Amino acid sequence: MSPLAPMNTLRGVLAAIEALPLPGPVRILNLCGDQERVISLAGMRRVLPRRVQLLAGPGCAASICPEADLYQAIQLVQREAVTLLVSDNMLQLPLGRHVFGPRTLLEAKLKGADVRIVSAPIEAVLIAQAEPRREMVFFAAGFETLLAPLAGMVLEGLPENLSVLLCGRRVEPLIEKILSSEDPGFEALLLPGNRCAVTGTAGWEDMTQNFHIPAAVAAYTSTGILAAIHAVLRQRCADEARVDNCYQPMVRPEGDAMALDRLYRVFDIVDGVWRGVGRVEQTAFRLRFAYDVVNADSRHPDYRGELQQSTGEMPDGCECAAVLLGKQEPADCRQFSVGCHIDSPYGPCMASEDGTCYLRSRGHRAA
Ligand code: SF4
């Protein structure tokens, strides 16, 4: 890997980016909701050279949670005597239009369902321990950064009254699939620093080589993200392709051995549905059979079959399927700021605080 870019100020990195002799326009796909938050709220797109386009990719775990899992969560908390523990960015995610009853967990909560907000798996454990007679389900939608600590807690033993409704995803095979298509829509990748700290970068190295696409692991500050942008653009200028690590010392090529060990002792990998994208091979985490006792799908009825064909993954007229893959800008959706707002979201990308439309909308407000 190449060393860090020798700049540590916003102005310095921006000047270095502007000075690069780019061979043509470059579209960079970002894969992290937290980094997209920094990019949007800092107005980073406005200060980059015109030829550099920053696209937001599938970095929000809530937005890509399939409608069937969301339906299952809504039905469980309404029809069974359970408490649903969920992160707040799942609360307003909408089902398709033609479903009878509440379309979001928030609507279910307002109708009396016991939906409670947690910000980390440990909170779910503590709440379950505090009310041992109440059956609880932790609706866990996330990537390796959520699943690795959850795996540790499963290994230590969850409270008997707590089970997990899992929507865990890994993004590498999806990006590989897109890169194999005729028109991927981007020429460089910004990799999520915290996820790479768990997984390492070896898998990404192979991808950059196979598809000759520059990549850089990015940090979570404006300067750190700009340094990663500079790193991929510099590779592009030199017609090189590798993973530059701009999040040292947090990220190592081999990842976090202890976290990975826990992760794969508790979960195996199966095909998974991404909302708006469809089924992608080897992208979903599933609780191994040895931990079936904490699997909410085994402990409670499965209502997913009721969804039938009548519902779409996205509400009518919502362009989130394209937005999720960086193929469309939020503002190009006819609903953006018209029928879909931060305060009354219509599609999943506006409903989640890590969603691209939500963040772009907040960025516009802040500008
Ligand atoms: Fe979907 Fe709303 Fe975004 Fe349009 S603006 S793509 S309706 S979330």
Side-chain angles (χ1 to χ4, degrees):
M1 290 187 193
S2 71
L4 273 174
M7 301 86 65
N8 57 7
T9 65
L10 269 178
R11 196 167 292 194
V13 192
L14 269 174
I17 288 173
E18 279 161 12
L20 286 170
L22 284 177
V26 183
R27 294 166 296 181
I28 306 171
L29 189 72
N30 158 44
L31 301 177
C32 177
D34 289 332
Q35 286 164 350
E36 180 56 33
R37 178 182 303 276
V38 176
I39 290 166
S40 290
L41 299 188
M44 202 175 286
R45 290 182 173 88
R46 288 194 294 275
V47 298
L48 286 170
R50 279 178 173 272
R51 293 203 295 176
V52 179
Q53 192 182 358
L54 262 184
L55 306 172
C60 169
S63 301
I64 55 94
C65 178
E67 193 185 30
D69 288 0
L70 180 59
Y71 181 80
Q72 171 68 359
I74 292 172
Q75 297 309 314
L76 264 189
V77 74
Q78 287 192 118
R79 290 153 73 168
E80 304 296 320
V82 301
T83 296
L84 191 81
L85 306 168
V86 65
S87 74
D88 59 357
N89 64 356
M90 305 287 288
L91 216 51
Q92 295 197 72
L93 283 184
L95 293 170
R97 279 193 159 197
H98 312 294
V99 173
F100 180 77
R103 289 183 60 233
T104 67
L105 287 167
L106 181 60
E107 286 178 20
K109 182 177 172 66
L110 293 174
K111 284 182 185 255
D114 189 3
V115 180
R116 303 187 203 173
I117 302 299
V118 293
S119 56
I122 186 65
E123 275 186 45
V125 170
L126 294 174
I127 291 171
Q129 283 173 340
E131 296 179 55
R133 293 193 182 160
R134 178 78 179 158
E135 190 66 24
M136 305 208 176
V137 176
F138 176 38
F139 187 14
F143 301 104
E144 291 89 344
T145 38
L146 174 81
L147 299 184
L150 178 59
M153 288 168 210
V154 170
L155 287 170
E156 283 171 18
L158 294 182
E160 282 184 11
N161 58 325
L162 180 64
S163 59
V164 179
L165 178 61
L166 189 66
C167 178
R169 293 291 181 271
R170 59 191 288 265
V171 77
E172 289 91 332
L174 172 61
I175 300 304
E176 192 160 1
K177 182 177 177 180
I178 297 170
L179 286 170
S180 304
S181 67
E182 219 164 84
D183 179 22
F186 53 90
E187 291 82 26
L189 284 166
L190 282 194
L191 304 181
N194 287 344
R195 255 183 276 160
C196 286
V198 176
T199 65
T201 54
W204 292 110
E205 285 281 3
D206 291 344
M207 212 181 302
T208 59
Q209 303 295 315
N210 294 342
F211 295 95
H212 197 70
I213 184 165
V217 184
Y220 292 86
T221 61
S222 297
T223 311
I225 291 170
L226 284 173
I229 291 170
H230 177 259
V232 296
L233 295 176
R234 200 174 48 175
Q235 289 183 52
R236 185 85 181 152
C237 290
D239 194 25
E240 294 171 346
R242 61 175 179 273
V243 176
D244 280 338
N245 185 358
C246 300
Y247 196 34
Q248 294 181 12
M250 302 297 288
V251 174
R252 289 169 297 174
E254 68 278 14
D256 181 334
M258 186 183 291
L260 286 172
D261 175 63
R262 288 176 176 162
L263 192 64
Y264 288 104
R265 275 164 62 197
V266 171
F267 304 111
D268 57 9
I269 303 291
V270 295
D271 299 349
V273 173
W274 297 61
R275 190 169 190 178
V277 177
R279 187 169 296 278
V280 185
E281 287 181 7
Q282 298 292 292
T283 50
F285 288 92
R286 180 181 64 180
L287 277 159
R288 289 185 183 274
F289 186 68
Y291 303 102
D292 201 45
V293 66
V294 298
N295 191 341
D297 279 334
S298 302
R299 203 184 284 192
H300 300 286
D302 186 349
Y303 297 103
R304 293 180 180 87
E306 296 175 358
L307 256 187
Q308 304 294 342
Q309 307 287 336
S310 56
T311 55
E313 278 275 287
M314 298 299 176
D316 293 343
C318 166
E319 304 286 348
C320 280
V323 170
L324 279 168
L325 298 178
K327 296 199 178 291
Q328 183 169 317
E329 287 293 311
D332 294 335
C333 172
R334 276 184 297 176
Q335 299 284 353
F336 187 76
S337 297
V338 180
C340 186
H341 308 262
I342 285 177
D343 304 323
S344 58
Y346 180 62
C349 293
M350 189 69 87
S352 164
E353 291 187 6
D354 289 333
T356 303
C357 296
Y358 177 96
L359 292 170
R360 210 61 66 82
S361 197
R362 270 199 65 193
H364 283 192
R365 282 189 185 183

